PDB file of all heavy atoms in Angstrom:
ATOM      1  N   MET A 658     -11.274 -19.915 -20.936  1.00 75.00           N
ATOM      2  CA  MET A 658     -12.592 -20.092 -20.331  1.00 75.00           C
ATOM      3  C   MET A 658     -12.865 -19.036 -19.259  1.00 75.00           C
ATOM      4  O   MET A 658     -13.926 -18.438 -19.191  1.00 75.00           O
ATOM      5  CB  MET A 658     -12.707 -21.496 -19.725  1.00 75.00           C
ATOM      6  CG  MET A 658     -14.063 -21.829 -19.141  1.00 75.00           C
ATOM      7  SD  MET A 658     -14.147 -23.515 -18.515  1.00 75.00           S
ATOM      8  CE  MET A 658     -13.885 -24.458 -20.005  1.00 75.00           C
ATOM      9  N   TYR A 659     -11.866 -18.830 -18.428  1.00 84.00           N
ATOM     10  CA  TYR A 659     -11.998 -17.815 -17.372  1.00 84.00           C
ATOM     11  C   TYR A 659     -10.930 -16.743 -17.550  1.00 84.00           C
ATOM     12  O   TYR A 659     -10.418 -16.184 -16.570  1.00 84.00           O
ATOM     13  CB  TYR A 659     -11.874 -18.459 -15.989  1.00 84.00           C
ATOM     14  CG  TYR A 659     -12.981 -19.440 -15.677  1.00 84.00           C
ATOM     15  CD1 TYR A 659     -12.723 -20.802 -15.582  1.00 84.00           C
ATOM     16  CD2 TYR A 659     -14.289 -18.998 -15.480  1.00 84.00           C
ATOM     17  CE1 TYR A 659     -13.732 -21.696 -15.299  1.00 84.00           C
ATOM     18  CE2 TYR A 659     -15.301 -19.885 -15.198  1.00 84.00           C
ATOM     19  CZ  TYR A 659     -15.021 -21.241 -15.111  1.00 84.00           C
ATOM     20  OH  TYR A 659     -16.032 -22.118 -14.838  1.00 84.00           O
ATOM     21  N   GLU A 660     -10.622 -16.429 -18.809  1.00 85.00           N
ATOM     22  CA  GLU A 660      -9.549 -15.471 -19.090  1.00 85.00           C
ATOM     23  C   GLU A 660      -9.839 -14.086 -18.512  1.00 85.00           C
ATOM     24  O   GLU A 660      -8.919 -13.331 -18.174  1.00 85.00           O
ATOM     25  CB  GLU A 660      -9.337 -15.350 -20.607  1.00 85.00           C
ATOM     26  CG  GLU A 660      -8.811 -16.615 -21.281  1.00 85.00           C
ATOM     27  CD  GLU A 660      -9.917 -17.595 -21.622  1.00 85.00           C
ATOM     28  OE1 GLU A 660     -11.099 -17.297 -21.311  1.00 85.00           O
ATOM     29  OE2 GLU A 660      -9.618 -18.668 -22.176  1.00 85.00           O
ATOM     30  N   ASP A 661     -11.121 -13.745 -18.388  1.00 88.00           N
ATOM     31  CA  ASP A 661     -11.469 -12.414 -17.887  1.00 88.00           C
ATOM     32  C   ASP A 661     -11.517 -12.349 -16.366  1.00 88.00           C
ATOM     33  O   ASP A 661     -11.751 -11.285 -15.790  1.00 88.00           O
ATOM     34  CB  ASP A 661     -12.813 -11.967 -18.474  1.00 88.00           C
ATOM     35  CG  ASP A 661     -13.949 -12.900 -18.111  1.00 88.00           C
ATOM     36  OD1 ASP A 661     -13.663 -14.090 -17.814  1.00 88.00           O
ATOM     37  OD2 ASP A 661     -15.105 -12.462 -18.123  1.00 88.00           O
ATOM     38  N   GLN A 662     -11.306 -13.505 -15.725  1.00 91.00           N
ATOM     39  CA  GLN A 662     -11.338 -13.512 -14.259  1.00 91.00           C
ATOM     40  C   GLN A 662      -9.949 -13.199 -13.710  1.00 91.00           C
ATOM     41  O   GLN A 662      -9.314 -14.005 -13.048  1.00 91.00           O
ATOM     42  CB  GLN A 662     -11.847 -14.871 -13.753  1.00 91.00           C
ATOM     43  CG  GLN A 662     -13.228 -15.247 -14.249  1.00 91.00           C
ATOM     44  CD  GLN A 662     -14.266 -14.218 -13.867  1.00 91.00           C
ATOM     45  OE1 GLN A 662     -14.239 -13.655 -12.767  1.00 91.00           O
ATOM     46  NE2 GLN A 662     -15.202 -13.947 -14.779  1.00 91.00           N
ATOM     47  N   THR A 663      -9.482 -11.996 -14.017  1.00 93.00           N
ATOM     48  CA  THR A 663      -8.172 -11.549 -13.548  1.00 93.00           C
ATOM     49  C   THR A 663      -8.310 -10.837 -12.209  1.00 93.00           C
ATOM     50  O   THR A 663      -9.415 -10.478 -11.770  1.00 93.00           O
ATOM     51  CB  THR A 663      -7.533 -10.592 -14.563  1.00 93.00           C
ATOM     52  OG1 THR A 663      -8.365  -9.429 -14.683  1.00 93.00           O
ATOM     53  CG2 THR A 663      -7.402 -11.265 -15.931  1.00 93.00           C
ATOM     54  N   HIS A 664      -7.164 -10.611 -11.591  1.00 92.00           N
ATOM     55  CA  HIS A 664      -7.160  -9.907 -10.310  1.00 92.00           C
ATOM     56  C   HIS A 664      -7.854  -8.561 -10.421  1.00 92.00           C
ATOM     57  O   HIS A 664      -8.706  -8.207  -9.585  1.00 92.00           O
ATOM     58  CB  HIS A 664      -5.711  -9.728  -9.825  1.00 92.00           C
ATOM     59  CG  HIS A 664      -5.576  -8.763  -8.695  1.00 92.00           C
ATOM     60  ND1 HIS A 664      -5.298  -7.410  -8.905  1.00 92.00           N
ATOM     61  CD2 HIS A 664      -5.686  -8.916  -7.347  1.00 92.00           C
ATOM     62  CE1 HIS A 664      -5.242  -6.791  -7.746  1.00 92.00           C
ATOM     63  NE2 HIS A 664      -5.463  -7.680  -6.776  1.00 92.00           N
ATOM     64  N   ASP A 665      -7.526  -7.802 -11.468  1.00 93.00           N
ATOM     65  CA  ASP A 665      -8.089  -6.445 -11.600  1.00 93.00           C
ATOM     66  C   ASP A 665      -9.598  -6.489 -11.800  1.00 93.00           C
ATOM     67  O   ASP A 665     -10.340  -5.688 -11.207  1.00 93.00           O
ATOM     68  CB  ASP A 665      -7.423  -5.711 -12.757  1.00 93.00           C
ATOM     69  CG  ASP A 665      -5.973  -5.365 -12.464  1.00 93.00           C
ATOM     70  OD1 ASP A 665      -5.586  -5.375 -11.273  1.00 93.00           O
ATOM     71  OD2 ASP A 665      -5.227  -5.091 -13.427  1.00 93.00           O
ATOM     72  N   ASN A 666     -10.084  -7.410 -12.639  1.00 93.00           N
ATOM     73  CA  ASN A 666     -11.531  -7.499 -12.880  1.00 93.00           C
ATOM     74  C   ASN A 666     -12.288  -7.957 -11.645  1.00 93.00           C
ATOM     75  O   ASN A 666     -13.370  -7.450 -11.324  1.00 93.00           O
ATOM     76  CB  ASN A 666     -11.815  -8.450 -14.048  1.00 93.00           C
ATOM     77  CG  ASN A 666     -11.392  -7.871 -15.385  1.00 93.00           C
ATOM     78  OD1 ASN A 666     -11.230  -6.655 -15.516  1.00 93.00           O
ATOM     79  ND2 ASN A 666     -11.205  -8.725 -16.380  1.00 93.00           N
ATOM     80  N   ILE A 667     -11.717  -8.922 -10.944  1.00 92.00           N
ATOM     81  CA  ILE A 667     -12.369  -9.409  -9.724  1.00 92.00           C
ATOM     82  C   ILE A 667     -12.400  -8.298  -8.674  1.00 92.00           C
ATOM     83  O   ILE A 667     -13.425  -8.061  -8.024  1.00 92.00           O
ATOM     84  CB  ILE A 667     -11.634 -10.655  -9.186  1.00 92.00           C
ATOM     85  CG1 ILE A 667     -11.763 -11.824 -10.171  1.00 92.00           C
ATOM     86  CG2 ILE A 667     -12.182 -11.053  -7.824  1.00 92.00           C
ATOM     87  CD1 ILE A 667     -10.898 -13.018  -9.844  1.00 92.00           C
ATOM     88  N   LEU A 668     -11.247  -7.602  -8.519  1.00 93.00           N
ATOM     89  CA  LEU A 668     -11.177  -6.517  -7.537  1.00 93.00           C
ATOM     90  C   LEU A 668     -12.174  -5.415  -7.879  1.00 93.00           C
ATOM     91  O   LEU A 668     -12.840  -4.864  -6.986  1.00 93.00           O
ATOM     92  CB  LEU A 668      -9.752  -5.963  -7.480  1.00 93.00           C
ATOM     93  CG  LEU A 668      -9.516  -4.795  -6.517  1.00 93.00           C
ATOM     94  CD1 LEU A 668      -9.871  -5.198  -5.086  1.00 93.00           C
ATOM     95  CD2 LEU A 668      -8.068  -4.313  -6.615  1.00 93.00           C
ATOM     96  N   ARG A 669     -12.298  -5.087  -9.154  1.00 92.00           N
ATOM     97  CA  ARG A 669     -13.228  -4.025  -9.563  1.00 92.00           C
ATOM     98  C   ARG A 669     -14.664  -4.402  -9.183  1.00 92.00           C
ATOM     99  O   ARG A 669     -15.411  -3.572  -8.670  1.00 92.00           O
ATOM    100  CB  ARG A 669     -13.106  -3.788 -11.068  1.00 92.00           C
ATOM    101  CG  ARG A 669     -13.921  -2.580 -11.559  1.00 92.00           C
ATOM    102  CD  ARG A 669     -13.789  -2.390 -13.063  1.00 92.00           C
ATOM    103  NE  ARG A 669     -12.389  -2.250 -13.462  1.00 92.00           N
ATOM    104  CZ  ARG A 669     -11.698  -3.163 -14.136  1.00 92.00           C
ATOM    105  NH1 ARG A 669     -12.291  -4.303 -14.505  1.00 92.00           N
ATOM    106  NH2 ARG A 669     -10.441  -2.954 -14.448  1.00 92.00           N
ATOM    107  N   ARG A 670     -15.046  -5.654  -9.433  1.00 93.00           N
ATOM    108  CA  ARG A 670     -16.407  -6.091  -9.088  1.00 93.00           C
ATOM    109  C   ARG A 670     -16.632  -6.052  -7.588  1.00 93.00           C
ATOM    110  O   ARG A 670     -17.700  -5.659  -7.108  1.00 93.00           O
ATOM    111  CB  ARG A 670     -16.660  -7.504  -9.613  1.00 93.00           C
ATOM    112  CG  ARG A 670     -16.724  -7.622 -11.128  1.00 93.00           C
ATOM    113  CD  ARG A 670     -17.474  -8.889 -11.545  1.00 93.00           C
ATOM    114  NE  ARG A 670     -16.941 -10.090 -10.924  1.00 93.00           N
ATOM    115  CZ  ARG A 670     -15.969 -10.841 -11.440  1.00 93.00           C
ATOM    116  NH1 ARG A 670     -15.405 -10.484 -12.600  1.00 93.00           N
ATOM    117  NH2 ARG A 670     -15.552 -11.924 -10.812  1.00 93.00           N
ATOM    118  N   MET A 671     -15.611  -6.435  -6.850  1.00 94.00           N
ATOM    119  CA  MET A 671     -15.745  -6.454  -5.391  1.00 94.00           C
ATOM    120  C   MET A 671     -15.891  -5.030  -4.839  1.00 94.00           C
ATOM    121  O   MET A 671     -16.732  -4.769  -3.977  1.00 94.00           O
ATOM    122  CB  MET A 671     -14.545  -7.170  -4.761  1.00 94.00           C
ATOM    123  CG  MET A 671     -14.460  -8.651  -5.118  1.00 94.00           C
ATOM    124  SD  MET A 671     -12.926  -9.428  -4.555  1.00 94.00           S
ATOM    125  CE  MET A 671     -13.211  -9.494  -2.792  1.00 94.00           C
ATOM    126  N   LEU A 672     -15.063  -4.126  -5.355  1.00 94.00           N
ATOM    127  CA  LEU A 672     -15.121  -2.744  -4.858  1.00 94.00           C
ATOM    128  C   LEU A 672     -16.411  -2.045  -5.274  1.00 94.00           C
ATOM    129  O   LEU A 672     -16.900  -1.150  -4.569  1.00 94.00           O
ATOM    130  CB  LEU A 672     -13.911  -1.955  -5.359  1.00 94.00           C
ATOM    131  CG  LEU A 672     -12.551  -2.383  -4.782  1.00 94.00           C
ATOM    132  CD1 LEU A 672     -11.422  -1.592  -5.422  1.00 94.00           C
ATOM    133  CD2 LEU A 672     -12.528  -2.206  -3.264  1.00 94.00           C
ATOM    134  N   ASN A 673     -16.975  -2.456  -6.403  1.00 94.00           N
ATOM    135  CA  ASN A 673     -18.246  -1.866  -6.840  1.00 94.00           C
ATOM    136  C   ASN A 673     -19.383  -2.174  -5.865  1.00 94.00           C
ATOM    137  O   ASN A 673     -20.401  -1.471  -5.842  1.00 94.00           O
ATOM    138  CB  ASN A 673     -18.613  -2.361  -8.238  1.00 94.00           C
ATOM    139  CG  ASN A 673     -17.767  -1.713  -9.321  1.00 94.00           C
ATOM    140  OD1 ASN A 673     -17.176  -0.647  -9.095  1.00 94.00           O
ATOM    141  ND2 ASN A 673     -17.693  -2.334 -10.487  1.00 94.00           N
ATOM    142  N   ARG A 674     -19.190  -3.250  -5.106  1.00 93.00           N
ATOM    143  CA  ARG A 674     -20.216  -3.618  -4.135  1.00 93.00           C
ATOM    144  C   ARG A 674     -20.038  -2.879  -2.795  1.00 93.00           C
ATOM    145  O   ARG A 674     -20.883  -3.011  -1.916  1.00 93.00           O
ATOM    146  CB  ARG A 674     -20.188  -5.132  -3.905  1.00 93.00           C
ATOM    147  CG  ARG A 674     -20.693  -5.936  -5.104  1.00 93.00           C
ATOM    148  CD  ARG A 674     -20.685  -7.423  -4.788  1.00 93.00           C
ATOM    149  NE  ARG A 674     -21.350  -8.201  -5.808  1.00 93.00           N
ATOM    150  CZ  ARG A 674     -20.789  -8.674  -6.912  1.00 93.00           C
ATOM    151  NH1 ARG A 674     -19.498  -8.409  -7.125  1.00 93.00           N
ATOM    152  NH2 ARG A 674     -21.471  -9.364  -7.785  1.00 93.00           N
ATOM    153  N   VAL A 675     -18.927  -2.183  -2.662  1.00 94.00           N
ATOM    154  CA  VAL A 675     -18.673  -1.416  -1.431  1.00 94.00           C
ATOM    155  C   VAL A 675     -19.283  -0.014  -1.591  1.00 94.00           C
ATOM    156  O   VAL A 675     -19.051   0.652  -2.612  1.00 94.00           O
ATOM    157  CB  VAL A 675     -17.159  -1.310  -1.153  1.00 94.00           C
ATOM    158  CG1 VAL A 675     -16.905  -0.455   0.093  1.00 94.00           C
ATOM    159  CG2 VAL A 675     -16.547  -2.706  -0.989  1.00 94.00           C
ATOM    160  N   PRO A 676     -20.058   0.458  -0.617  1.00 93.00           N
ATOM    161  CA  PRO A 676     -20.669   1.804  -0.724  1.00 93.00           C
ATOM    162  C   PRO A 676     -19.621   2.886  -0.984  1.00 93.00           C
ATOM    163  O   PRO A 676     -18.506   2.846  -0.445  1.00 93.00           O
ATOM    164  CB  PRO A 676     -21.336   1.982   0.636  1.00 93.00           C
ATOM    165  CG  PRO A 676     -21.585   0.593   1.121  1.00 93.00           C
ATOM    166  CD  PRO A 676     -20.437  -0.226   0.620  1.00 93.00           C
ATOM    167  N   ASP A 677     -19.988   3.847  -1.812  1.00 91.00           N
ATOM    168  CA  ASP A 677     -19.050   4.906  -2.190  1.00 91.00           C
ATOM    169  C   ASP A 677     -18.672   5.804  -1.021  1.00 91.00           C
ATOM    170  O   ASP A 677     -17.645   6.508  -1.071  1.00 91.00           O
ATOM    171  CB  ASP A 677     -19.639   5.755  -3.316  1.00 91.00           C
ATOM    172  CG  ASP A 677     -19.716   4.983  -4.621  1.00 91.00           C
ATOM    173  OD1 ASP A 677     -18.920   4.030  -4.796  1.00 91.00           O
ATOM    174  OD2 ASP A 677     -20.569   5.325  -5.456  1.00 91.00           O
ATOM    175  N   LYS A 678     -19.471   5.813  -0.001  1.00 91.00           N
ATOM    176  CA  LYS A 678     -19.165   6.676   1.139  1.00 91.00           C
ATOM    177  C   LYS A 678     -17.963   6.167   1.942  1.00 91.00           C
ATOM    178  O   LYS A 678     -17.410   6.887   2.770  1.00 91.00           O
ATOM    179  CB  LYS A 678     -20.383   6.815   2.046  1.00 91.00           C
ATOM    180  CG  LYS A 678     -20.824   5.516   2.696  1.00 91.00           C
ATOM    181  CD  LYS A 678     -22.067   5.727   3.553  1.00 91.00           C
ATOM    182  CE  LYS A 678     -22.533   4.446   4.219  1.00 91.00           C
ATOM    183  NZ  LYS A 678     -23.739   4.673   5.061  1.00 91.00           N
ATOM    184  N   LEU A 679     -17.581   4.912   1.683  1.00 92.00           N
ATOM    185  CA  LEU A 679     -16.413   4.361   2.366  1.00 92.00           C
ATOM    186  C   LEU A 679     -15.171   4.555   1.510  1.00 92.00           C
ATOM    187  O   LEU A 679     -15.234   4.601   0.281  1.00 92.00           O
ATOM    188  CB  LEU A 679     -16.621   2.863   2.640  1.00 92.00           C
ATOM    189  CG  LEU A 679     -17.810   2.503   3.538  1.00 92.00           C
ATOM    190  CD1 LEU A 679     -17.947   0.985   3.664  1.00 92.00           C
ATOM    191  CD2 LEU A 679     -17.637   3.134   4.923  1.00 92.00           C
ATOM    192  N   ASP A 680     -14.024   4.678   2.176  1.00 93.00           N
ATOM    193  CA  ASP A 680     -12.757   4.902   1.485  1.00 93.00           C
ATOM    194  C   ASP A 680     -12.284   3.574   0.872  1.00 93.00           C
ATOM    195  O   ASP A 680     -11.935   2.627   1.583  1.00 93.00           O
ATOM    196  CB  ASP A 680     -11.713   5.423   2.468  1.00 93.00           C
ATOM    197  CG  ASP A 680     -10.400   5.777   1.761  1.00 93.00           C
ATOM    198  OD1 ASP A 680     -10.346   5.701   0.507  1.00 93.00           O
ATOM    199  OD2 ASP A 680      -9.440   6.116   2.473  1.00 93.00           O
ATOM    200  N   LYS A 681     -12.283   3.500  -0.460  1.00 90.00           N
ATOM    201  CA  LYS A 681     -11.828   2.289  -1.139  1.00 90.00           C
ATOM    202  C   LYS A 681     -10.759   2.605  -2.174  1.00 90.00           C
ATOM    203  O   LYS A 681     -10.599   1.910  -3.170  1.00 90.00           O
ATOM    204  CB  LYS A 681     -12.999   1.546  -1.774  1.00 90.00           C
ATOM    205  CG  LYS A 681     -13.927   2.416  -2.628  1.00 90.00           C
ATOM    206  CD  LYS A 681     -15.104   1.592  -3.122  1.00 90.00           C
ATOM    207  CE  LYS A 681     -16.060   2.455  -3.964  1.00 90.00           C
ATOM    208  NZ  LYS A 681     -17.198   1.668  -4.463  1.00 90.00           N
ATOM    209  N   ARG A 682     -10.028   3.690  -1.916  1.00 91.00           N
ATOM    210  CA  ARG A 682      -8.917   4.054  -2.782  1.00 91.00           C
ATOM    211  C   ARG A 682      -7.744   3.101  -2.559  1.00 91.00           C
ATOM    212  O   ARG A 682      -7.657   2.452  -1.512  1.00 91.00           O
ATOM    213  CB  ARG A 682      -8.474   5.483  -2.499  1.00 91.00           C
ATOM    214  CG  ARG A 682      -9.510   6.545  -2.880  1.00 91.00           C
ATOM    215  CD  ARG A 682      -9.068   7.907  -2.396  1.00 91.00           C
ATOM    216  NE  ARG A 682      -8.980   7.951  -0.928  1.00 91.00           N
ATOM    217  CZ  ARG A 682      -8.513   8.997  -0.235  1.00 91.00           C
ATOM    218  NH1 ARG A 682      -8.085  10.073  -0.871  1.00 91.00           N
ATOM    219  NH2 ARG A 682      -8.471   8.937   1.090  1.00 91.00           N
ATOM    220  N   PRO A 683      -6.828   2.992  -3.558  1.00 92.00           N
ATOM    221  CA  PRO A 683      -5.643   2.156  -3.373  1.00 92.00           C
ATOM    222  C   PRO A 683      -4.926   2.501  -2.079  1.00 92.00           C
ATOM    223  O   PRO A 683      -4.832   3.671  -1.700  1.00 92.00           O
ATOM    224  CB  PRO A 683      -4.794   2.467  -4.600  1.00 92.00           C
ATOM    225  CG  PRO A 683      -5.784   2.869  -5.651  1.00 92.00           C
ATOM    226  CD  PRO A 683      -6.857   3.618  -4.907  1.00 92.00           C
ATOM    227  N   SER A 684      -4.466   1.473  -1.395  1.00 91.00           N
ATOM    228  CA  SER A 684      -3.747   1.558  -0.111  1.00 91.00           C
ATOM    229  C   SER A 684      -4.687   1.746   1.071  1.00 91.00           C
ATOM    230  O   SER A 684      -4.226   1.729   2.221  1.00 91.00           O
ATOM    231  CB  SER A 684      -2.697   2.679  -0.101  1.00 91.00           C
ATOM    232  OG  SER A 684      -1.723   2.434  -1.113  1.00 91.00           O
ATOM    233  N   SER A 685      -5.996   1.924   0.812  1.00 93.00           N
ATOM    234  CA  SER A 685      -6.931   1.976   1.935  1.00 93.00           C
ATOM    235  C   SER A 685      -7.116   0.578   2.488  1.00 93.00           C
ATOM    236  O   SER A 685      -6.795  -0.430   1.843  1.00 93.00           O
ATOM    237  CB  SER A 685      -8.278   2.547   1.490  1.00 93.00           C
ATOM    238  OG  SER A 685      -8.918   1.641   0.599  1.00 93.00           O
ATOM    239  N   LEU A 686      -7.648   0.492   3.712  1.00 94.00           N
ATOM    240  CA  LEU A 686      -7.852  -0.806   4.352  1.00 94.00           C
ATOM    241  C   LEU A 686      -8.784  -1.688   3.517  1.00 94.00           C
ATOM    242  O   LEU A 686      -8.517  -2.876   3.302  1.00 94.00           O
ATOM    243  CB  LEU A 686      -8.432  -0.603   5.757  1.00 94.00           C
ATOM    244  CG  LEU A 686      -8.714  -1.884   6.557  1.00 94.00           C
ATOM    245  CD1 LEU A 686      -7.420  -2.668   6.776  1.00 94.00           C
ATOM    246  CD2 LEU A 686      -9.366  -1.545   7.898  1.00 94.00           C
ATOM    247  N   ILE A 687      -9.881  -1.105   3.056  1.00 94.00           N
ATOM    248  CA  ILE A 687     -10.848  -1.880   2.269  1.00 94.00           C
ATOM    249  C   ILE A 687     -10.215  -2.353   0.963  1.00 94.00           C
ATOM    250  O   ILE A 687     -10.376  -3.503   0.545  1.00 94.00           O
ATOM    251  CB  ILE A 687     -12.111  -1.041   2.001  1.00 94.00           C
ATOM    252  CG1 ILE A 687     -12.868  -0.821   3.313  1.00 94.00           C
ATOM    253  CG2 ILE A 687     -12.996  -1.703   0.950  1.00 94.00           C
ATOM    254  CD1 ILE A 687     -14.079   0.076   3.172  1.00 94.00           C
ATOM    255  N   TYR A 688      -9.479  -1.451   0.311  1.00 94.00           N
ATOM    256  CA  TYR A 688      -8.851  -1.810  -0.964  1.00 94.00           C
ATOM    257  C   TYR A 688      -7.859  -2.956  -0.771  1.00 94.00           C
ATOM    258  O   TYR A 688      -7.865  -3.946  -1.520  1.00 94.00           O
ATOM    259  CB  TYR A 688      -8.137  -0.592  -1.560  1.00 94.00           C
ATOM    260  CG  TYR A 688      -7.512  -0.851  -2.908  1.00 94.00           C
ATOM    261  CD1 TYR A 688      -8.175  -0.503  -4.081  1.00 94.00           C
ATOM    262  CD2 TYR A 688      -6.247  -1.443  -3.009  1.00 94.00           C
ATOM    263  CE1 TYR A 688      -7.609  -0.744  -5.340  1.00 94.00           C
ATOM    264  CE2 TYR A 688      -5.663  -1.680  -4.242  1.00 94.00           C
ATOM    265  CZ  TYR A 688      -6.357  -1.335  -5.400  1.00 94.00           C
ATOM    266  OH  TYR A 688      -5.793  -1.576  -6.619  1.00 94.00           O
ATOM    267  N   ASP A 689      -6.982  -2.837   0.212  1.00 93.00           N
ATOM    268  CA  ASP A 689      -5.958  -3.862   0.423  1.00 93.00           C
ATOM    269  C   ASP A 689      -6.568  -5.213   0.799  1.00 93.00           C
ATOM    270  O   ASP A 689      -6.093  -6.276   0.361  1.00 93.00           O
ATOM    271  CB  ASP A 689      -4.989  -3.406   1.513  1.00 93.00           C
ATOM    272  CG  ASP A 689      -4.105  -2.248   1.042  1.00 93.00           C
ATOM    273  OD1 ASP A 689      -4.043  -2.025  -0.187  1.00 93.00           O
ATOM    274  OD2 ASP A 689      -3.467  -1.614   1.899  1.00 93.00           O
ATOM    275  N   ALA A 690      -7.633  -5.181   1.618  1.00 94.00           N
ATOM    276  CA  ALA A 690      -8.273  -6.438   2.019  1.00 94.00           C
ATOM    277  C   ALA A 690      -8.904  -7.130   0.804  1.00 94.00           C
ATOM    278  O   ALA A 690      -8.768  -8.352   0.610  1.00 94.00           O
ATOM    279  CB  ALA A 690      -9.329  -6.172   3.088  1.00 94.00           C
ATOM    280  N   HIS A 691      -9.608  -6.355  -0.014  1.00 94.00           N
ATOM    281  CA  HIS A 691     -10.242  -6.932  -1.209  1.00 94.00           C
ATOM    282  C   HIS A 691      -9.206  -7.361  -2.242  1.00 94.00           C
ATOM    283  O   HIS A 691      -9.413  -8.345  -2.966  1.00 94.00           O
ATOM    284  CB  HIS A 691     -11.212  -5.924  -1.830  1.00 94.00           C
ATOM    285  CG  HIS A 691     -12.507  -5.817  -1.082  1.00 94.00           C
ATOM    286  ND1 HIS A 691     -12.624  -5.171   0.123  1.00 94.00           N
ATOM    287  CD2 HIS A 691     -13.746  -6.296  -1.380  1.00 94.00           C
ATOM    288  CE1 HIS A 691     -13.873  -5.227   0.542  1.00 94.00           C
ATOM    289  NE2 HIS A 691     -14.589  -5.918  -0.354  1.00 94.00           N
ATOM    290  N   SER A 692      -8.109  -6.627  -2.310  1.00 94.00           N
ATOM    291  CA  SER A 692      -7.065  -6.981  -3.277  1.00 94.00           C
ATOM    292  C   SER A 692      -6.464  -8.344  -2.955  1.00 94.00           C
ATOM    293  O   SER A 692      -6.214  -9.163  -3.852  1.00 94.00           O
ATOM    294  CB  SER A 692      -5.976  -5.911  -3.287  1.00 94.00           C
ATOM    295  OG  SER A 692      -4.954  -6.258  -4.204  1.00 94.00           O
ATOM    296  N   ALA A 693      -6.214  -8.588  -1.666  1.00 95.00           N
ATOM    297  CA  ALA A 693      -5.667  -9.890  -1.256  1.00 95.00           C
ATOM    298  C   ALA A 693      -6.640 -11.024  -1.590  1.00 95.00           C
ATOM    299  O   ALA A 693      -6.244 -12.091  -2.072  1.00 95.00           O
ATOM    300  CB  ALA A 693      -5.357  -9.874   0.235  1.00 95.00           C
TER     301      ALA A 693
END
């Protein structure tokens, strides 16, 4: 039912909402916060 609601898919949607001008690469503060 929610098979597509994986960590990677959720994280991708969350990061897509973050402006590109901000650093959202792996290990960045924004990336790590959203990953958790």
Side-chain angles (χ1 to χ4, degrees):
M658 184 177 297
Y659 296 111
E660 294 84 359
D661 60 336
Q662 301 302 321
T663 62
H664 167 267
D665 290 342
N666 289 340
I667 295 171
L668 179 59
R669 187 181 304 109
R670 292 201 307 270
M671 295 172 72
L672 292 176
N673 286 340
R674 290 182 171 87
V675 177
D677 291 335
K678 64 182 180 180
L679 299 177
D680 184 5
K681 49 184 179 179
R682 293 172 297 175
S684 299
S685 68
L686 180 61
I687 292 176
Y688 183 97
D689 290 344
H691 283 75
S692 179

